């Protein structure tokens, strides 16, 4: 296959001149919050949560539901403005790790009932997730994953190539050997989910500090933190921010790709690295001309390349990795990404090659060495909790993880044992590899 992109004037490479900016990608009613409020930091709080994406907002809400008072949610921009607002919005249960399956299943339950519980329509579309598999070895691995998912009550299934063709007629079947599908998976609007959690948390007394940057921490030894710690002899006593110092008994790091930096400031080792990803959204498509029905089109992923496409309103949303990974805090669009996307479309979904680009954006994954999350309390600093490193599936797990972290912090019993996601695994049990990463 040639590496030259399609020559059609409406093909994706023309998007280099398309409208930029991720905030226009979603429905207008979900513009991000204004940055105008200038609240000052309270002198003290029981809990300070760092990061007001879906993870931090969910944790704040669930802690307040547990009866915790004086919660402050600190966000350096506005709620949902970080990686959450740049997510593709996919929600799925198809994982290879039992804990991840349990977390994803609980999150999907919450999202299916989100409007009834929070009064917010999150535009949930349950068209399923379809993984395209191009080797017998990968298909065998997915079959084992599907068996595990089925044992946990999910409707996941393996598909023949003929069944894949029927479900996704826009896909070029060349080289495929099988598919994996769950009809209950889907996608929704990340900003809407954050809005629901933040509004509910505020109604329960949570204070949200926008445009507030964390600048440091204090501990029981009275020193500003930034060293390696002393094996649990320290306890967090305060967070310093650009809006003032907040005394507190507990801190939660839910800062996504920036969690490693926050951990370093606290003397806590959080092995999280940023990885750039880019997305493109098309203009409304002619379904009849393309031979597709957007109401039935699943979130489709070519597993070996991580190229994916799903319906986005009246158009389509496309994503794929950079040709060479960018491990940096770089969320600017890269014109070199467009030919990469065009080639993948031409190879795996040529029927979609002439759709017109509307806009796009880039964002950051929060990657760990084994592509699994970090959830727990730091051994270096008592009272410092963390929920980060979700490696591309943080949005979909946010509802469940908020519940779990609130239980851990208040002495409750989480619905699933997440002790295996403690960061100490890297020094003890080793890597806990999640295979189904896109």
């Amino acid at each position: 296959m040639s590496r030259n992109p399609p020559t059609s004037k409406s093909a994706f490479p023309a998007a280099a001149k398309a409208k930029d900016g991720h905030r226009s990608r979603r429905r207008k009613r979900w513009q991000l919050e204004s940055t105008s409020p200038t609240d000052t930091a309270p002198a003290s709080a029981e809990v300070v949560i760092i990061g007001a994406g879906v993870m931090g907002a969910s944790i704040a809400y669930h802690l307040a539901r547990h009866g915790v008072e004086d919660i402050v949610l600190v966000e350096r921009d506005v709620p949902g403005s970080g990686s959450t607002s740049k997510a593709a919005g996919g929600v799925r249960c198809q994982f290879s790790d039992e804990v991840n399956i349990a977390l994803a299943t609980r999150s999907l339950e919450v999202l299916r009932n989100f409007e009834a519980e929070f009064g917010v329509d999150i535009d949930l579309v349950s068209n399923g997730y379809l993984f395209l598999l191009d080797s017998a070895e990968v298909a065998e691995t997915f079959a084992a994953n599907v068996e595990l998912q089925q044992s946990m009550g999910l409707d996941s299934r393996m598909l023949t190539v003929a069944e894949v063709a029927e479900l996704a007629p826009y896909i070029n079947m060349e080289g495929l050997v099988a598919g994996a599908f769950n009809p209950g998976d889907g996608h929704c609007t990340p900003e809407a989910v954050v809005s629901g959690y933040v509004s509910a948390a505020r109604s329960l007394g949570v204070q949200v500090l926008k445009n507030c940057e964390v600048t440091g921490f204090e501990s029981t030894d009275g020193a500003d933190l930034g060293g390696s710690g002393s094996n649990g002899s320290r306890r967090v006593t305060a967070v310093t921010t650009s809006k003032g110092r907040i005394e507190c008994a507990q801190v939660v790091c839910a800062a996504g790709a920036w969690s490693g930096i926050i951990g370093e400031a606290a003397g806590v080792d959080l092995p999280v690295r940023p990885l750039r990803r880019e997305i493109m959204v098309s203009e409304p498509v002619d379904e009849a001309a393309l031979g597709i029905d957007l109401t039935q089109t699943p979130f489709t992923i070519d597993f070996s390349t991580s190229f994916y496409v799903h319906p986005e309103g009246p158009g389509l949303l496309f994503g794929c990795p950079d040709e060479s990974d960018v491990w940096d805090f770089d969320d600017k669009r890269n014109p070199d990404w467009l030919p990469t996307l065009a080639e993948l479309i031409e190879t795996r979904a040529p029927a979609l090659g002439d759709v017109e680009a509307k806009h796009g954006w880039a964002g950051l994954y929060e990657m760990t060495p084994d592509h699994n999350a970090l959830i727990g309390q730091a051994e270096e600093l008592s009272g410092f909790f963390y929920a980060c490193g979700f490696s591309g599936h943080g949005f979909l797990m946010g509802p469940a993880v908020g519940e779990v972290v609130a239980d851990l912090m208040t002495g409750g019993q989480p619905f699933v044992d997440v002790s295996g996601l403690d960061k100490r695994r890297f020094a003890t049990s080793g890597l806990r590899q999640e295979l189904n990463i896109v």
Side-chain angles (χ1 to χ4, degrees):
M1 176 63 67
S2 169
R3 292 191 57 80
N4 295 323
T7 57
S8 167
K9 66 179 181 180
S10 61
F12 269 102
K17 298 180 180 179
K19 293 182 289 183
D20 202 350
H22 71 274
R23 292 188 181 183
S24 64
R25 67 174 265 247
R26 297 286 174 182
R27 297 146 185 85
K28 290 183 180 179
R29 61 186 177 183
W30 291 121
Q31 293 291 330
L32 297 175
E33 288 192 18
S34 167
T35 59
S36 57
T38 56
D39 293 343
T40 57
S44 64
E46 192 168 344
V47 179
V48 175
I49 302 169
I50 303 167
V54 67
M55 203 64 62
S58 175
I59 292 168
Y61 167 73
H62 283 287
L63 281 172
R65 281 281 306 270
H66 278 57
V68 178
E69 300 178 350
D70 296 327
I71 301 169
V72 178
L73 181 58
V74 176
E75 169 55 50
R76 69 174 186 170
D77 195 333
V78 297
S81 60
S83 293
T84 296
S85 68
K86 300 175 182 180
V91 289
R92 60 180 167 103
C93 296
Q94 293 184 78
F95 287 94
S96 64
D97 185 290
E98 187 172 349
V99 174
N100 288 337
I101 296 170
L103 291 170
T105 301
R106 177 63 67 93
S107 285
L108 267 170
E109 291 173 0
V110 173
L111 294 173
R112 290 186 185 112
N113 296 292
F114 203 86
E115 185 172 8
E117 183 172 352
F118 295 91
V120 175
D121 178 6
I122 62 172
D123 304 299
L124 179 64
V125 176
S126 297
N127 289 355
Y129 250 71
L130 171 64
F131 284 92
L132 308 175
L133 312 176
D134 62 5
S135 78
E137 181 181 2
V138 171
E140 184 177 346
T141 299
F142 265 80
N145 296 342
V146 164
E147 185 176 350
L148 173 61
Q149 294 155 23
Q150 291 175 340
S151 74
M152 297 177 68
L154 300 179
D155 191 21
S156 301
R157 63 195 76 162
M158 294 296 294
L159 302 182
T160 65
V161 173
E163 290 171 325
V164 170
E166 182 177 357
L167 189 61
Y170 45 90
I171 292 298
N172 174 15
M173 299 296 150
E174 182 180 354
L176 297 182
V177 301
F181 181 65
N182 186 307
D185 296 343
H187 60 276
C188 61
T189 303
E191 298 93 321
V193 176
V194 173
S195 176
Y197 275 126
V198 169
S199 295
R202 281 177 169 144
S203 71
L204 294 172
V206 173
Q207 181 177 357
V208 180
L209 289 180
K210 307 177 190 178
N211 305 303
C212 182
E213 188 170 353
V214 170
T215 58
F217 299 84
E218 297 175 12
S219 68
T220 49
D221 60 14
D224 292 334
L225 300 178
S228 59
S230 54
N231 299 321
S233 63
R234 302 177 302 146
R235 170 171 284 278
V236 68
T237 57
V239 178
T240 57
T241 79
S242 59
K243 291 191 174 182
R245 176 180 179 274
I246 309 173
E247 290 189 6
C248 60
Q250 293 179 316
V251 171
V252 186
C253 177
W258 295 266
S259 294
I261 295 174
I262 295 296
E264 183 177 0
V268 173
D269 180 24
L270 294 175
V272 177
R273 299 175 64 197
L275 176 63
R276 204 189 84 96
R277 282 288 188 264
E278 192 161 341
I279 283 173
M280 185 68 70
V281 176
S282 79
E283 293 284 2
V285 298
D286 185 336
E287 297 175 64
L290 294 177
I292 63 174
D293 178 356
L294 292 180
T295 66
Q296 302 296 320
T297 301
F299 194 129
T300 306
I301 302 168
D302 188 37
F303 184 69
S304 66
T305 65
S306 291
F307 160 71
Y308 61 85
V309 58
H310 74 65
E312 178 81 353
L316 294 167
L317 181 150
F318 295 85
C320 71
D322 288 289
E323 187 169 9
S324 297
D325 287 338
V326 179
W327 296 93
D328 197 2
F329 292 98
D330 178 8
D331 62 355
K332 296 181 177 63
R333 295 182 64 189
N334 179 2
D336 293 337
W337 176 81
L338 295 167
T340 300
L341 175 63
E343 180 182 350
L344 291 170
I345 293 173
E346 182 182 357
T347 300
R348 187 52 72 196
L352 307 179
D354 287 337
V355 299
E356 296 184 17
K358 183 177 182 181
H359 56 252
W361 64 95
L364 301 175
Y365 278 8
E366 44 175 324
M367 303 299 292
T368 64
D370 61 3
H371 301 164
N372 252 314
L374 308 176
I375 302 175
Q377 181 176 191
E379 69 275 17
E380 306 100 319
L381 183 61
S382 183
F384 185 101
F385 291 81
Y386 51 85
C388 55
F390 288 86
S391 303
H393 49 268
F395 166 64
L396 73 95
M397 291 191 176
V401 173
E403 181 182 342
V404 166
V405 172
D407 284 335
L408 292 176
M409 295 178 68
T410 58
Q413 182 65 43
F415 72 90
V416 61
D417 180 6
V418 295
S419 59
L421 298 179
D422 189 293
K423 70 187 187 70
R424 283 173 285 190
R425 69 182 182 268
F426 299 115
T428 56
S429 60
L431 301 184
R432 182 190 180 104
Q433 198 76 34
E434 170 56 54
L435 302 177
N436 292 15
I437 295 296
V438 179

